Amino acid sequence: MADETQGAAAPESGNQPSMNLMGQYIRDLSFENPGAPNSLLTAGTNPNFNVSISVGVKKQSDEVFAVELTLNAKAQREENVLFNVELVYGGIFRIRNIPEAQLSPLLMVECPRLIFPFARQVLASVTQQGGFPPLMMEPVDFSVIYRQNLAKLAAQNNAAAATEEAPKLN
C-alpha cells in the first residue's frame, strides 16, 4: 500500500516549483589602492564612502539563469581616493515550474538575496587584504531596487509613448 502512495506522488513532485543554486562565481574583481603605501600611513578624518549595487540576469537555457550582482565601492578622504573596488559576483540558478508572472521577481529579488552575503564577504575580505578595515555592507532590500527599476522602466516607456504621439511640425 505504501508503494502505491509513493508511486502516485512521484509524478506530481516533477511539477512542483523549484529553485536550486547550482554554483557561485566571481566574474570580475578589481581592487585599486592608488595611494599605497601613503594612504595606509596617514591618519585623518573618516573617509566618505560611495557604494552602488545593481542586478543583472542572463538566461543560459530554458531552466538555467545566471544572476549577477555588480558592487562598486569607493572610499575617499578629501580629494584622495583611498580605494576603489568593483566586484561582479554571480550565482547560477536552475528554476523549474515557476509561473512567468513570478519569474522576474524571483530572479531580481530572491536570487540576489541568496548570493549577496557571499559577495559582501568577498568585499570585506578584499578591502581588509588591501590594508583597510573590512568594508561591511548593510543588508540590501532587493525588492526596493526591483520596484525602483520597474518605476524607471515605466517612466521611460511613458516618455517614449508621449514622444511618438506628439504632433510633428513641418
Side-chain angles (χ1 to χ4, degrees):
M1 185 77 116
D3 291 337
E4 292 175 24
T5 306
Q6 288 177 351
E12 291 178 19
S13 66
N15 294 330
Q16 293 294 319
S18 69
M19 176 181 72
N20 301 95
L21 179 57
M22 298 169 52
Q24 299 178 62
Y25 59 92
I26 295 173
R27 188 167 62 82
D28 185 24
L29 176 60
S30 170
F31 180 83
E32 298 171 14
N33 186 352
N38 292 336
S39 61
L40 303 173
L41 298 173
T42 58
T45 60
N46 286 336
N48 294 320
F49 289 94
N50 184 12
V51 179
S52 66
I53 185 167
S54 64
V55 179
V57 176
K58 296 175 186 167
K59 188 173 186 175
Q60 305 298 305
S61 68
D62 286 343
E63 296 180 340
V64 178
F65 297 84
V67 177
E68 293 183 342
L69 300 176
T70 300
L71 305 169
N72 292 298
K74 187 176 190 177
Q76 287 184 279
R77 184 176 292 130
E78 298 165 7
E79 296 298 316
N80 299 321
V81 175
L82 298 177
F83 68 81
N84 191 12
V85 61
E86 177 183 354
L87 170 64
V88 180
Y89 191 89
I92 303 167
F93 293 87
R94 173 172 282 125
I95 297 175
R96 293 183 175 145
N97 302 319
I98 302 293
E100 191 68 31
Q102 295 175 358
L103 189 58
S104 182
L106 180 69
L107 291 168
M108 300 297 288
V109 176
E110 292 305 316
C111 292
R113 185 182 60 79
L114 290 173
I115 62 173
F116 176 74
F118 301 99
R120 183 172 91 160
Q121 179 58 40
V122 171
L123 274 183
S125 178
V126 78
T127 54
Q128 187 174 32
Q129 294 299 317
F132 299 96
L135 176 63
M136 296 304 295
M137 290 182 65
E138 293 291 322
V140 175
D141 187 348
F142 288 99
S143 63
V144 170
I145 296 171
Y146 178 67
R147 287 192 303 268
Q148 288 172 346
N149 289 338
L150 286 179
K152 284 181 192 176
L153 184 60
Q156 290 172 353
N157 289 342
N158 290 341
T163 304
E164 290 175 8
E165 293 175 6
K168 295 182 181 178
L169 299 175
N170 289 332

